[in-house]
Amino acid sequence: MLSALPSGWVGEVLDEEFVASPRLTPAQTRAAFMLGVELGEQLDRRRGGSGRWCFLRAPELRLGHDVLVPDVAGWRRDRVASPIDPDVPFLTLAPDWVCEVLAPSTAALDRTRKLPVYARQGVSHVWLVDPLARTLETYQRVKRGWLLTGCYESDALVRAEPFTSAPVELETLWLPESSLCGETSLLSAVP
């Protein structure tokens, strides 16, 4: 079922129900990519960081009966007992942190369906990035669900759990308002 989706769609299984969502738009892709860059350069050893975290972009997570594809996910290295098998296209270890990049078509799904699954599966922190509103919301799992721990906007310098030692410049996540990646001729050159 998941592999039968047309190009441009992502399939997930939430509470034993199949859900399909459109892939990220350029603004969302930019936000997810740049967040990974910002965190990876400071916390992933392959980028010269502390080595305390491992980040993946859009990993397929098979957690019990649920199949989720967060936009970005991170695991504390001390929780990953063995290296990730490069031949297996999914992971079964719940991440410590996930980030969902919101879109008008996926915001309700991310907030009402995926957040409870992440809590149930033991994810400790969730960030919700909205590239249209240029905001970041940070959440920490508590006994009864999620506690909103911070709201940030525009060009804020964010030091939020679980990455208080790794400041994130929100402005780097957003597409420049003039055009894709600041190049006015990039899109016009595409036939």
Side-chain angles (χ1 to χ4, degrees), residues 10-15 17-24 28 57-61 63 66-73 95 98-103 105-128 139 141 145-146:
V10 175
E12 298 177 292
V13 178
L14 306 170
D15 298 317
E17 180 185 342
F18 177 73
V19 178
S21 304
R23 287 220 177 261
L24 301 180
Q28 295 167 296
R57 167 80 182 85
E60 182 176 311
L61 306 174
L63 307 174
D66 300 305
V67 178
L68 299 113
V69 182
D71 297 317
V72 187
V98 298
C99 176
E100 293 290 356
V101 180
L102 304 178
S105 61
T106 62
L109 175 71
D110 291 336
R111 290 179 183 283
T112 64
R113 302 284 306 276
K114 291 177 83 170
L115 279 177
V117 173
Y118 288 137
R120 184 174 68 242
Q121 295 296 342
V123 175
S124 299
H125 298 274
V126 171
W127 288 14
L128 299 178
Y139 294 86
R141 184 173 44 87
W146 295 103

Side-chain angles (χ1 to χ4, degrees), residues 49-185:
S50 68
R52 293 179 295 185
W53 286 83
C54 174
F55 298 101
L56 293 175
R57 167 80 182 85
E60 182 176 311
L61 306 174
R62 294 191 182 180
L63 307 174
H65 294 293
D66 300 305
V67 178
L68 299 113
V69 182
D71 297 317
V72 187
W75 290 260
R76 293 179 191 275
R77 285 212 188 265
D78 59 5
R79 283 192 55 236
V80 181
S82 59
I84 294 172
D85 185 342
D87 296 324
V88 177
F90 60 87
L91 299 165
T92 57
L93 178 65
D96 296 289
W97 167 86
V98 298
C99 176
E100 293 290 356
V101 180
L102 304 178
S105 61
T106 62
L109 175 71
D110 291 336
R111 290 179 183 283
T112 64
R113 302 284 306 276
K114 291 177 83 170
L115 279 177
V117 173
Y118 288 137
R120 184 174 68 242
Q121 295 296 342
V123 175
S124 299
H125 298 274
V126 171
W127 288 14
L128 299 178
V129 171
D130 186 335
L132 297 178
R134 296 181 177 228
T135 60
L136 165 66
E137 299 169 18
T138 60
Y139 294 86
Q140 182 174 355
R141 184 173 44 87
V142 293
K143 285 185 180 182
R144 294 188 176 150
W146 295 103
L147 173 66
L148 176 65
T149 57
C151 292
Y152 309 91
E153 65 180 339
S154 190
D155 62 352
L157 181 65
V158 176
R159 293 178 188 272
E161 289 290 338
F163 311 116
T164 55
S165 67
V168 174
E169 295 179 45
L170 282 190
E171 190 169 32
T172 65
L173 307 185
W174 321 133
L175 274 177
E177 291 184 19
S178 61
S179 66
L180 181 65
C181 299
E183 296 293 328
T184 56
S185 63

